[in-house]
Amino acid sequence: MVILNHTKQRSSSSSPIHGHNKYKYDVFLSFCSKDTGRSFTDHLCNAIKHANITTFFDDDLIETGVYLKPGWESAIKASRASVVVLSENYADSQWCLNGLALILKQHLTVIPIFYHVKPSFLEDAMARYRRVMEAMTNEDKRSQLAEKIDRWNKACTQVSTLKGMQLGFDRRETKFIQDFVKHIYHRLRISARTPLPLDRRFHREMKQPNLFKIPFQAIKSCTQNFSETNFIAKGGYGRVYKGIFTWANHVNQLVAVKRLDVTGLQGNKEFHIELTILSQYQHKNIVRFIGFCDENKEMTLVYGYESNGSLDKYLRNTAKSGGPSWPQLLKICIDVASALDYLHNHVAEKHRIIHRDIKSANILLDENWNAKLADFGLARIGLANQQNTMVITNPAGTHGYCDPQYEKTGFLTKESDVYSFGVVLFEVLCGRLACALNYHDEQRFLHHLAPTCYKKRELDKIIDPRIKKDIKPRVLSKFSAIAYRCLHETREERPTIAEVVFQLKKAMKMQV
């Protein structure tokens, strides 16, 4: 069974399945995590849990054995339905077949998942057991096995006729799990509506903020009707303009205006996510939100203008004079880490915000080189009252910064932000962007190059020459160590953002 133990079991009355109060669990979940792989089994369990389906699953992995574990039979009887993940090794084991026979005897609703095997695999497994039985010379043992094979064969024959789902090597696990959760709701005929996605539930629960809604005419006026001379940059779903804003208690205030491209195919969702988050939460290292306009199909967001622009322009050309010094760059890193710590751990008692697009282009710098994290259009909200928060999404972000585990599985966690921030740390250290198109070898992507150089103790080859002389050796050691840990392939091995803040502040004390 999967090595997980963080599903809180609720009373049956709180189950989303109405009219079945005699059951303690909605689903009994049977599988072997070692066979299927931890990524799939962890994601499957978290997806079912987030769908508000009460589930029994064991927290100990069985390496070998024949008999059912104590408690399984009572848990099966206390569950309304069963889900059995039939992978190659698991489906060919006696303890799976024994459990399958009991499940089919007890439950009318059984949903098999054929994980990288076809339903016909069960017939092959039974044929192997028959050959073993026929080769036995001890009649008593042969008779005992024959009885088991008859029971198993009936169970396997029944499973092969059930309506299940098949996951082949060519199918994305993320999409499969999303479809599977919907399938469970359909099969169990839940009378209540399927719970809203986590971020929509969060938005519904929030108090409506006292927003500053700005007339479109005032925005047009401050940007000189979105003049090209006021154009600053193009974002993921619109263009950004500089303006001098006068309205209500704002007089001649320098602002940045993000204007949604209404002719594009995206942006509406991102606009409302960013509006919701920035109007609700404020932090000294998050971009200052002034107001918005949603009028006559015009959708704009107005922020405080940060005079030193975005961090990426200094990393793109470190030879340019007037950029931040090494102590200032270190302070910028602390600022961004502090903003992320706020989002992950302090925005609300029950929720956390995962930014999902941490990169140097989304780090703005004011006149004193204080950093402000910006661009929350891709952010997602997850639960904060558990050790691991996972949100199923279609992978998004910027290539070169994106967590490879997130790109592979579609499961977003707070550690995905930590990975992206690790890339930014190495950008700062190396004085270059995450992706350098002028290279056509291993130097093109920093998330490959920097860890390789770190492990070979060859960081000296890639450190920005402009700041190399200013970095104290102990500071370099501590800074590069925490950046390297952020880029660990395994999420569990990455540091928390709170630890990153702590280590960076220690590096700052050493530097000064």
Side-chain angles (χ1 to χ4, degrees):
M1 290 301 198
V2 67
I3 309 175
L4 286 172
N5 194 24
H6 56 257
T7 296
K8 301 295 184 183
Q9 305 300 349
R10 298 176 280 110
S11 65
S12 57
S13 60
S14 64
S15 168
I17 305 168
H18 300 300
H20 295 277
N21 290 343
K22 68 177 182 177
Y23 295 110
K24 185 177 181 181
Y25 311 106
D26 298 334
V27 170
F28 176 86
L29 185 57
S30 175
F31 57 86
C32 174
S33 64
K34 183 177 181 181
D35 189 10
T36 54
R38 282 294 302 276
S39 64
F40 176 78
T41 53
D42 283 7
H43 298 162
L44 177 66
C45 289
N46 275 281
I48 293 175
K49 177 181 65 176
H50 287 157
N52 203 30
I53 299 170
T54 53
T55 307
F56 176 90
F57 51 84
D58 207 338
D59 60 352
D60 293 317
L61 172 64
I62 296 181
E63 300 285 355
T64 59
V66 174
Y67 302 105
L68 292 178
K69 290 185 64 178
W72 279 18
E73 184 171 355
S74 59
I76 291 170
K77 290 179 179 179
S79 303
R80 185 179 170 212
S82 282
V83 173
V84 185
V85 184
L86 296 164
S87 51
E88 186 171 349
N89 292 336
Y90 186 47
D92 198 16
S93 65
Q94 293 188 37
W95 48 280
C96 170
L97 294 169
N98 284 330
L100 199 57
L102 180 60
I103 285 169
L104 290 165
K105 180 181 177 181
Q106 180 68 28
H107 290 159
L108 294 176
T109 304
V110 180
I111 308 173
I113 295 177
F114 297 97
Y115 181 85
H116 296 170
V117 296
K118 296 180 179 179
S120 59
F121 176 82
L122 292 170
E123 299 176 8
D124 299 335
M126 295 312 306
R128 286 191 290 274
Y129 279 113
R130 289 193 196 94
R131 288 194 293 270
V132 171
M133 179 194 69
E134 291 167 358
M136 284 182 170
T137 57
N138 186 306
E139 287 297 327
D140 289 339
K141 290 185 177 180
R142 182 172 178 172
S143 177
Q144 291 174 4
L145 185 56
E147 291 178 5
K148 290 181 181 179
I149 288 176
D150 182 59
R151 184 169 68 252
W152 296 341
N153 189 63
K154 290 178 181 177
C156 290
T157 302
Q158 188 176 346
V159 165
S160 64
T161 65
L162 294 174
K163 184 179 180 182
M165 295 183 67
Q166 187 169 349
L167 175 61
F169 287 99
D170 59 342
R171 188 171 181 186
R172 282 183 59 86
E173 290 185 357
T174 302
K175 182 64 167 61
F176 175 87
I177 291 173
Q178 290 174 329
D179 292 343
F180 181 70
V181 171
K182 294 176 184 176
H183 183 70
I184 293 178
Y185 268 89
H186 175 72
R187 290 289 300 278
L188 299 186
R189 300 181 184 277
I190 297 175
S191 59
R193 290 180 60 193
T194 302
L196 292 169
L198 189 58
D199 51 354
R200 287 176 60 200
R201 283 209 311 271
F202 175 75
H203 294 163
R204 186 183 65 185
E205 292 167 2
M206 287 196 314
K207 295 179 180 179
Q208 288 298 314
N210 183 21
L211 297 175
F212 183 24
K213 191 168 184 178
I214 304 169
F216 183 61
Q217 187 57 43
I219 294 175
K220 280 181 65 177
S221 175
C222 85
T223 60
Q224 297 178 309
N225 197 16
F226 302 101
S227 166
E228 284 299 312
T229 58
N230 286 23
F231 173 74
I232 301 174
K234 182 171 175 56
Y237 60 93
R239 292 162 64 89
V240 182
Y241 298 84
K242 182 179 178 180
I244 299 176
F245 182 63
T246 298
W247 181 260
N249 60 337
H250 297 270
V251 179
N252 293 334
Q253 181 173 354
L254 210 53
V255 296
V257 177
K258 184 188 291 186
R259 186 188 194 189
L260 175 68
D261 179 7
V262 294
T263 63
L265 299 177
Q266 63 171 349
N268 192 300
K269 179 181 179 182
E270 289 85 351
F271 172 86
H272 286 98
I273 289 174
E274 186 157 16
L275 172 60
T276 301
I277 291 175
L278 291 180
S279 62
Q280 187 74 13
Y281 300 112
Q282 297 178 357
H283 186 272
K284 66 177 183 177
N285 297 121
I286 290 177
V287 65
R288 292 174 294 155
F289 177 72
I290 293 174
F292 78 104
C293 176
D294 187 358
E295 181 181 312
N296 297 326
K297 297 185 179 180
E298 284 286 352
M299 303 169 74
T300 58
L301 295 168
V302 182
Y303 317 91
Y305 179 76
E306 308 302 344
S307 59
N308 273 322
S310 55
L311 176 61
D312 64 316
K313 75 176 185 181
Y314 300 100
L315 301 177
R316 187 177 287 110
N317 182 14
T318 56
K320 183 179 178 181
S321 62
S325 64
W326 166 244
Q328 288 170 331
L329 286 169
L330 187 52
K331 171 62 165 50
I332 288 167
C333 293
I334 293 172
D335 287 348
V336 179
S338 299
L340 278 175
D341 183 40
Y342 170 72
L343 295 172
H344 288 186
N345 302 312
H346 305 293
V347 290
E349 181 181 353
K350 297 181 179 180
H351 299 93
R352 64 166 49 103
I353 295 171
I354 304 173
H355 186 279
R356 205 161 63 133
D357 197 19
I358 300 296
K359 58 183 178 181
S360 51
N362 288 337
I363 298 170
L364 305 180
L365 305 169
D366 69 12
E367 66 278 7
N368 297 315
W369 302 105
N370 296 308
K372 314 283 185 179
L373 186 58
D375 207 341
F376 285 76
L378 295 179
R380 291 293 180 267
I381 288 109
L383 292 173
N385 56 353
Q386 52 187 297
Q387 185 175 358
N388 297 306
T389 295
M390 288 191 180
V391 181
I392 309 174
T393 76
N394 293 321
T398 304
H399 189 57
Y401 298 89
C402 198
D403 173 13
Q405 289 296 317
Y406 174 45
E407 287 185 310
K408 178 182 177 182
T409 66
F411 279 80
L412 176 71
T413 70
K414 64 184 186 301
E415 288 77 24
S416 302
D417 276 353
V418 172
Y419 182 94
S420 302
F421 184 60
V423 177
V424 172
L425 291 178
F426 273 120
E427 283 185 308
V428 167
L429 186 62
C430 300
R432 53 158 287 184
L433 297 181
C435 178
L437 298 178
N438 56 311
Y439 292 110
H440 300 280
D441 53 16
E442 70 278 359
Q443 297 184 74
R444 169 169 284 201
F445 291 106
L446 191 58
H447 67 281
H448 291 313
L449 176 64
T452 300
C453 290
Y454 179 87
K455 286 187 288 186
K456 292 181 178 180
R457 298 185 178 181
E458 296 178 347
L459 277 178
D460 191 64
K461 294 181 179 180
I462 61 173
I463 294 175
D464 179 8
R466 188 179 66 88
I467 63 173
K468 185 186 297 186
K469 65 181 185 302
D470 298 324
I471 305 175
K472 295 182 178 179
R474 287 200 307 156
V475 175
L476 173 60
S477 176
K478 184 164 289 292
F479 185 92
S480 59
I482 197 67
Y484 175 75
R485 287 178 59 200
C486 289
L487 296 188
H488 203 288
E489 184 176 350
T490 305
R491 285 169 166 166
E492 291 77 12
E493 297 297 325
R494 296 172 198 163
T496 64
I497 197 63
E499 183 181 354
V500 175
V501 173
F502 178 76
Q503 295 297 337
L504 291 177
K505 287 183 176 180
K506 284 185 68 174
M508 177 63 86
K509 289 181 180 178
M510 295 176 184
Q511 183 66 42
V512 298

